[in-house]
């Protein structure tokens, strides 16, 4: 317990004092995220925030993990440094999606293969139990890549990725603390504390962004924690066994995971790369409804916590039923957001068309009125006519 407390305080303090220095360095070196038509911010914002909580997280984890549990830590730290350098290069000079994917696979390899961490059981989902070894590896790699990119893709508005990452890492860290898995408990609370300090500077209006350096690290750490959670919580011999573990894991990551899978499906259905940027994320829908960054982030965080509580309390339903229930509720909520967004866009377009029509009518010149001519009547004096005759 002391290790977790020290790690939490150390990570928070290091991050809190590192961020202002990074903001100053970014200003001096002109390391900004430039605004464009696709991004929601309108001014240049420094992008080195991920470096701040990376330092706090790494130092706290390296110092506070109990010595008897050091063995897998070397592979975890190696993976974290790999993803750190991938994100840093992308923030500074840019990196192609293929190279980013290769870096993510290398980091995942260090944890999955060298650290011997993988999903070995589906715990009754669609009647599936123990998985063959090679299929287990493929499923774990897929999970890592999806979760890493999920946090990278939801980092679109102030505070969202950091707040969701804080909730996920804190919930998983708390579970590992009660399950006596001190290595992962220290990791979870170290990341949560670093993100808490970072959010002081990132909540709207943001003074700094985490960049890919931060979002990729948050994704990798939480992917590691969630895979370990499935392995530990599904074991009946563990200190805190749970039912329907894959469904609970899905609920813990519901906002980033469901949003990413939905957006990837939309893009591929339209014949585009799943990594192509667009404005189909849930936070884009909420912004389109007129919510500001704080409101959209608050709704997302409260929704994520609500799904976690729902899944935990309904775990007796079983993996398959609970997973479909969580997915259906997430799909229904997103569909409502999309409907409200479309209705507002249609109403706005109709109002704009009406205004344009009225303006055009006022600007049009008045039609000339036809001149009215009175018919002339010839009057002949009868007296003179008679005289002539």
């Amino acid at each position: 317990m002391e290790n977790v407390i020290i790690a939490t305080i150390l990570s928070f303090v290091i991050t809190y004092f590192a961020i202002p220095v990074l903001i100053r360095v970014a200003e001096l070196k002109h390391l900004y995220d430039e605004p464009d038509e696709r991004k929601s911010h309108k001014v240049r914002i420094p992008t080195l925030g991920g470096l701040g909580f990376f330092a706090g997280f790494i130092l706290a984890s390296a110092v506070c993990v109990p010595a008897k549990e050091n063995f897998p830590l070397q592979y975890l730290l190696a993976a974290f440094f790999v993803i750190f350098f991938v994100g840093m290069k992308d923030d500074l000079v840019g990196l192609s999606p293929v190279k980013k994917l290769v870096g993510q696979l290398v980091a995942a390899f260090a944890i999955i293969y060298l650290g011997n961490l993988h999903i070995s059981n589906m715990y009754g989902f669609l009647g599936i139990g123990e998985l063959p070894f090679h299929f287990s590896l493929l499923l774990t790699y897929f999970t890592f890549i999806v979760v890493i990119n999920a946090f990278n893709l939801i980092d679109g508005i102030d505070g969202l990725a950091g707040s969701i990452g804080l909730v996920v890492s804190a919930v998983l860290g708390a579970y590992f603390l009660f399950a006596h898995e001190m290595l992962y408990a220290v990791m979870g609370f170290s990341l949560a504390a670093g993100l808490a300090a970072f959010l002081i500077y990132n909540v709207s209006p943001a003074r700094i962004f985490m960049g890919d350096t931060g979002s990729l690290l948050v994704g990798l750490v939480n992917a590691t924690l969630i895979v370990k959670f499935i392995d530990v919580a599904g074991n009946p011999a563990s200190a805190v066994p749970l039912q329907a573990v894959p469904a609970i894991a899905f609920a813990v990551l519901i906002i980033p995971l469901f949003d990413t899978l939905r957006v990837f499906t939309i893009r591929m259905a339209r014949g585009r790369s799943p990594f192509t940027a667009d404005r189909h994320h849930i936070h884009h829908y909420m912004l389109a409804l007129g919510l500001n960054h704080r409101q959209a982030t608050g709704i997302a965080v409260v929704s994520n916590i609500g799904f976690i509580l729902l899944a935990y309390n309904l775990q007796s339903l079983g993996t398959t039923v609970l997973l479909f229930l969580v997915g259906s509720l997430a799909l229904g909520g997103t569909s409502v957001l999309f409907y409200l967004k479309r209705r507002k866009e249609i109403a706005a377009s109709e109002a704009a068309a009406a205004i344009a029509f009225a303006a055009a009518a006022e600007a049009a010149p008045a039609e000339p009125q036809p001149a009215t001519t009175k018919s002339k009547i010839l009057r002949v004096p009868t007296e003179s006519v008679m005289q002539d005759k």
Side-chain angles (χ1 to χ4, degrees):
M1 184 66 179
E2 294 82 3
N3 301 70
V4 172
I5 296 174
I6 295 171
T8 303
I9 296 173
L10 186 60
S11 179
F12 183 91
V13 170
I14 292 174
T15 305
Y16 180 78
F17 287 105
I19 295 295
V21 177
L22 293 171
I23 293 175
R24 180 60 178 161
V25 171
E27 291 173 347
L28 292 174
K29 300 298 181 181
H30 303 288
L31 302 174
Y32 298 108
D33 186 18
E34 299 288 346
D36 58 35
E37 67 281 354
R38 188 178 56 84
K39 298 175 181 177
S40 57
H41 62 283
K42 305 302 180 185
V43 296
R44 299 187 302 173
I45 306 291
T47 59
L48 296 179
L51 179 57
F53 63 78
F54 173 81
F57 165 75
I58 287 293
L59 288 175
S61 298
V63 170
C64 297
V65 168
K68 63 180 180 180
E69 300 190 40
N70 272 344
F71 174 70
L73 184 62
Q74 58 184 319
Y75 304 118
L76 296 174
L77 294 179
F80 298 152
F81 272 102
V82 168
I83 210 69
F84 167 76
F85 286 118
V86 170
M88 182 63 71
K89 184 174 182 181
D90 191 34
D91 286 334
L92 296 178
V93 297
L95 202 61
S96 68
V98 174
K99 291 181 180 179
K100 285 176 67 175
L101 180 61
V102 171
Q104 294 168 18
L105 288 171
V106 171
F109 173 81
I111 297 174
I112 297 170
Y113 190 77
L114 299 179
N116 193 30
L117 182 66
H118 52 88
I119 301 171
S120 59
N121 199 312
M122 294 299 290
Y123 301 100
F125 176 65
L126 298 178
I128 302 172
E130 196 76 22
L131 296 172
F133 178 71
H134 293 292
F135 186 80
S136 170
L137 288 179
L138 289 175
L139 177 61
T140 310
Y141 275 108
F142 176 77
T143 301
F144 266 78
I145 297 304
V146 171
V147 174
I148 291 171
N149 285 284
F151 280 95
N152 185 230
L153 291 173
I154 68 166
D155 186 26
I157 60 175
D158 298 345
L160 180 58
S163 298
I164 297 296
L166 169 60
V167 170
V168 173
S169 57
V171 167
L172 295 175
Y175 172 81
F176 289 123
L177 180 62
F178 288 110
H180 310 300
E181 294 282 346
M182 295 309 298
L183 166 60
Y184 299 97
V186 167
M187 283 175 49
F189 281 103
S190 296
L191 182 62
L195 288 172
F198 166 74
L199 285 170
I200 296 173
Y201 304 94
N202 183 242
V203 172
S204 183
R207 295 174 55 193
I208 192 169
F209 291 156
M210 66 170 62
D212 280 12
T213 306
S215 61
L216 293 178
L217 174 69
V218 173
L220 179 62
V221 175
N222 281 319
T224 305
L225 294 177
I226 206 71
V227 171
K228 185 64 177 179
F229 168 76
I230 294 173
D231 181 51
V232 174
N235 185 355
S238 68
V240 188
L242 298 175
Q243 304 176 54
V245 175
I248 297 176
F250 183 67
V252 170
L253 291 168
I254 188 66
I255 294 296
L257 202 57
F258 178 79
D259 188 46
T260 298
L261 293 174
R262 183 185 61 83
V263 169
F264 276 11
T265 302
I266 292 173
R267 292 170 183 173
M268 289 187 291
R270 296 180 177 180
R272 299 163 53 198
S273 167
F275 298 100
T276 304
D278 56 28
R279 296 187 65 84
H280 288 290
H281 291 285
I282 294 174
H283 57 267
H284 289 142
Y285 290 174
M286 289 191 282
L287 292 180
L289 290 174
L291 300 178
N292 59 36
H293 286 213
R294 289 194 180 195
Q295 292 168 336
T297 297
I299 291 173
V301 170
V302 171
S303 300
N304 206 131
I305 294 173
F307 274 103
I308 294 172
L309 295 175
L310 176 71
Y312 177 79
N313 287 288
L314 296 180
Q315 58 181 291
S316 59
L317 294 177
T319 301
T320 303
V321 174
L322 184 56
L323 193 58
F324 278 111
L325 175 62
V326 170
S328 299
L329 290 174
L331 180 61
T334 307
S335 300
V336 170
L337 280 178
F338 179 75
Y339 170 75
L340 294 175
K341 167 182 169 289
R342 287 292 300 161
R343 192 172 70 172
K344 184 173 181 178
E345 289 175 346
I346 292 172
S349 62
E350 290 176 349
I355 292 173
F357 179 78
E362 290 179 2
E367 295 182 2
Q369 296 295 327
T372 57
T373 57
K374 293 183 179 181
S375 58
K376 295 182 179 181
I377 301 175
L378 179 62
R379 296 185 182 276
V380 181
T382 54
E383 295 83 358
S384 58
V385 173
M386 294 299 295
Q387 291 174 358
D388 291 340
K389 287 184 177 180

